[in-house]
C-alpha cells in the first residue's frame, strides 16, 4: 500500500512539474535578428571582444535587420592603496553605449552598459600586465553577454 502511494505521489508530482510551462527566456531564436554592420568607436581591441559576443545572435535570414554602433570608454583607477601609498589593486570600469538602428523601421534605440573588474598588482610588471589583459578580456566578455541578452529580450518583446 505504501509503495502504491509513493508511486502515485511521484507520478502526480512529475505530471505537474512537466506541464508547468517553464521555458528559459534567453533561448536563442534563430530568425530573430540580422546584424548588418557593427561600428566601433573607442578601443578597437575592446570592441573586438564585444563584436564576437554580439554577432553570435545574428542569422542571415533574421526578421529584424539592424546596425549597431558601440561607443566604448575604459577608465582605470587605483582601488586599494597600502599605508605607504603603493597601489595594490586596480579597478577597470567599462562604460559602453549601445546604439541600435533598426533598418526596417529606421528607429534608434540607445542603452548604456557598465561593468567593472579589478586585478591585483604583482611583484613582476609582466605579471601585472597579463593580469590586466585577462581582467579586460573577462570584463568585455561579460559586457558582450549582457548586450546579447538585451538584444534578445528587446526583439522578443518588441511592441512596434
Amino acid at each position: 500500500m505504501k509503495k502504491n502511494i509513493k508511486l502515485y505521489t511521484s507520478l502526480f508530482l512529475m505530471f505537474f512539474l512537466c506541464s508547468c510551462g517553464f521555458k528559459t527566456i534567453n533561448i536563442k531564436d534563430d530568425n530573430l535578428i540580422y546584424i548588418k554592420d557593427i561600428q566601433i568607436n573607442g578601443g578597437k581591441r575592446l570592441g573586438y571582444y564585444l563584436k564576437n559576443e554580439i554577432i553570435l545572435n545574428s542569422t542571415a535570414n533574421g526578421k529584424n535587420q539592424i546596425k549597431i554602433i558601440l561607443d566604448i570608454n575604459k577608465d582605470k583607477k587605483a582601488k586599494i592603496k597600502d599605508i605607504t601609498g603603493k597601489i595594490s589593486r586596480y579597478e577597470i570600469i567599462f562604460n559602453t553605449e549601445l546604439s541600435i538602428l533598426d533598418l526596417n523601421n529606421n528607429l534608434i534605440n540607445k542603452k548604456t552598459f557598465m561593468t567593472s573588474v579589478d586585478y591585483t598588482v604583482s611583484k613582476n610588471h609582466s605579471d601585472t600586465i597579463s593580469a590586466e589583459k585577462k581582467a579586460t578580456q573577462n570584463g568585455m566578455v561579460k559586457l558582450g553577454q549582457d548586450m546579447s541578452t538585451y538584444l534578445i529580450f528587446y526583439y522578443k518583446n518588441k511592441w512596434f
Side-chain angles (χ1 to χ4, degrees):
M1 185 68 179
K2 282 188 176 185
K3 208 176 214 184
N4 286 340
I5 292 174
K6 287 182 182 181
L7 177 68
Y8 290 132
T9 305
S10 63
L11 286 174
F12 182 74
L13 286 174
M14 286 166 62
F15 174 73
F16 277 108
L17 289 177
C18 291
S19 64
C20 69
F22 173 79
K23 91 177 162 180
T24 57
I25 294 174
N26 61 350
I27 275 182
K28 182 181 174 190
D29 191 358
D30 289 336
N31 295 326
L32 193 61
I33 58 173
Y34 169 60
I35 301 173
K36 194 165 185 138
D37 185 31
I38 297 179
Q39 180 183 344
I40 300 167
N41 301 327
K44 299 295 182 189
R45 180 171 288 223
L46 301 176
Y48 177 76
Y49 292 120
L50 292 178
K51 182 178 178 181
N52 286 340
E53 286 293 324
I54 292 172
I55 205 76
L56 292 174
N57 297 318
S58 178
T59 58
N61 55 352
K63 292 182 265 187
N64 303 299
Q65 289 189 359
I66 61 174
K67 178 182 177 184
I68 294 179
I69 301 169
L70 297 171
D71 292 319
I72 305 167
N73 294 320
K74 176 183 172 182
D75 187 26
K76 177 178 148 181
K77 57 184 175 181
K79 186 173 184 180
I80 298 175
K81 291 183 181 180
D82 60 6
I83 297 172
T84 61
K86 188 175 178 183
I87 298 170
S88 61
R89 184 175 285 277
Y90 281 103
E91 178 180 32
I92 305 173
I93 301 170
F94 302 104
N95 190 3
T96 304
E97 183 177 295
L98 171 71
S99 301
I100 305 167
L101 174 63
D102 195 336
L103 300 176
N104 297 338
N105 313 43
N106 288 332
L107 294 175
I108 297 176
N109 181 19
K110 291 186 178 185
K111 174 94 171 137
T112 302
F113 294 90
M114 190 178 86
T115 189
S116 65
V117 292
D118 56 340
Y119 65 95
T120 58
V121 175
S122 300
K123 291 184 181 188
N124 296 333
H125 183 65
S126 61
D127 292 339
T128 303
I129 296 297
S130 64
E132 180 181 1
K133 285 183 182 179
K134 188 158 184 87
T136 300
Q137 183 179 4
N138 291 340
M140 285 290 108
V141 168
K142 169 77 171 91
L143 206 57
Q145 289 171 349
D146 291 346
M147 288 180 185
S148 295
T149 303
Y150 174 75
L151 282 172
I152 290 171
F153 285 155
Y154 180 75
Y155 280 102
K156 275 191 176 182
N157 300 320
K158 189 166 79 166
W159 291 96
F160 50 90

